[in-house]
Amino acid sequence: MKEFQKHFAKLLAINGYLPKILLAAFIGFVTGLVAVAFHYGLEFCSRAVREPWSGEDGLPWWSFAAMPSLGGFLVGLIIFKLAKAPETAGQGTDNMIRSFHHQGGKIRARVAPVKFITSIVTLSTGGSAGYEGPVSQIGSGVASTICSFFKMPQSLRGQFMLAGTAAGLGAIFKAPLAGALTSVEVLYREDFESNAFATSIVSSVVAFTVYIALVGTAPAIAGVPAFPLTNAAELLACALLGILCFPFSYLYVRCYSESETRFSRWKIPDWLKPAVGGLLVSLIVLAYPEVMGGGFEYIGEIMKGVVPHTLWGVLLLLAIAVAKIVATAFTVGSGGSGGVFGPSLFIGGVLGAMFAGLCEMIVPGAMRYPEMFILVGMASFFAGAAKAPIAGVVMVCEMTGSYTLLPGLMIAAVMHIAFSRPWSIYKSQVQNKFASPAHRNDMDVDVLSVTTVGDVIEPCEIKTLRGDEPLAEVLKFVDLNYVYPVYDGDSYMGLLDMAVVKSAYISSPDLIRHLLVSDCTVKVPMLSVLTDLHTASKVFLRFPVEQLCVKNDRGDVVGSLSHSAIFRAYDSIVRQS
């Protein structure tokens, strides 16, 4: 068996196109079966959980509001106590992105089954989260396990991890093209992983075929009418809706980020945090039960013509959209298992319905099909929040089976992105391939070898620290985004490790008062202005730092160099050649 593993890995490593396609198909087949199991498992658990509230003698509906807290409690126990897999907490897609960029595509084998169980618990008990995060992380976990079995190199592991992600998304949303596009586009804000597109397409199509064969071919969002092609007035309205989405996507990102940060700093056991987040969701559910679960059922209801024609109806939809933003932040930000992609579609759809209601109030009858803006809002909101315009547009088209709105969807998505470039719901996204650690070895060594550090850095005054200084005093003027060399007398010791400082501050703020600067110093070399960029990039590979100090020929510190500056320099040189 070991010989077979070695030979197969070698066959893939020499860029055998057919073996890669066959392996991608196998990953898609396995992930498709897992997606089917997830679908029926969630369906069964949802019915079982809601059984006491069904029928004439069922419990009062408002008592179900306690379930998100109970679900969060169970999720916390499973993740932190039983499985001891903290990487399965929170949103799955961002964890997949982080694994691609920083962990060589490696995902522990236990991640897929733990994510499978905890996501079903979260969603069936009414937690506000999406299906895509769990399934994308499950798919990437399946692919990573298969890659580990064949002992594949890192360059191939990331490619097949994306194939697993595409398979999960393509199956669960019945959107094979969108699944492939999402997997390669969501990694970057202004780029996509082109070398993984072919394998992602194959795995997504195979998983989709397996899924619809066992689940059915009905669109993920049914009941969508046949819309005509958009006219000029409707295209203008789509552009306005895209602009309307951007303050809400900012609120969505900020609420989620703030919730995640505050829960991480809170001094209670990690396994209790999802229960607290669920309790906060329970309070929201009492007023707005629509925010429970993925929410696609509610989108289907408003798609059937429940577009408001009154101010109160518009305000109700606004309140539901904001409630979904806050509920998702509490559910996923506290460590509950779920995704933020599905809720973004829900929020966008509700905003689209709200916008349609405003149009009907201001210019009655001007829009032929006001409910079309529900789909436009879905595509626009996700595209801007995730910085994935193509994937967002295609996803909505495939989920609803409506392609005639494509021009309006694209206009709205582009307008939203134009106003929302500084933020993204996926914090592990990087700008482009040049900013990704996964592509450090892709650069031409000759180009880097003839360029020196002195050609790249911007000279500036660097403040030095003494190793015997109290850390608490230093933190009063230290900026965590800059680099600080540490000295013991005249001897260079290394750099103040900001990661250690942040960890100490978050885990035990009182500890800061008892630490010296030397306790948080990482021993890394100082670069010379004459060092070539290839050598400098090797230093970054050896030490877990974002920046290095640079000295001149007299030994004076004259600036700093970040690994992103190396990528920018390489990109600039290549463009000029």
Side-chain angles (χ1 to χ4, degrees), residues 78-128:
I78 294 171
I79 291 177
F80 296 101
K81 288 293 186 180
L82 299 179
K84 299 188 185 302
E87 64 268 43
T88 60
Q91 55 163 312
T93 303
D94 193 70
N95 291 333
M96 180 276 296
I97 296 172
R98 185 186 307 112
S99 175
F100 179 88
H101 289 311
H102 302 287
Q103 299 167 5
K106 292 182 180 180
I107 298 175
R108 290 198 295 171
R110 70 180 66 182
V111 166
V114 173
K115 195 71 176 178
F116 183 96
I117 296 170
T118 55
S119 299
I120 287 178
V121 173
T122 297
L123 293 167
S124 63
T125 55
S128 177

Side-chain angles (χ1 to χ4, degrees), residues 210-280:
V210 171
Y211 189 79
I212 63 171
L214 298 174
V215 173
T217 58
I221 299 179
V224 177
F227 296 112
L229 288 170
T230 48
N231 56 33
E234 290 164 346
L235 284 177
L236 176 61
C238 289
L240 293 176
L241 176 54
I243 297 173
L244 174 68
C245 284
F246 97 85
F248 291 94
S249 74
Y250 175 77
L251 178 65
Y252 188 38
V253 172
R254 285 303 305 269
C255 279
Y256 173 75
S257 178
E258 190 69 19
S259 174
E260 191 176 48
T261 300
R262 289 185 178 274
F263 272 106
S264 67
R265 291 178 178 175
W266 200 8
K267 302 305 177 186
I268 64 171
D270 288 338
W271 59 273
L272 274 178
K273 292 176 182 179
V276 177
L279 179 60
L280 296 173

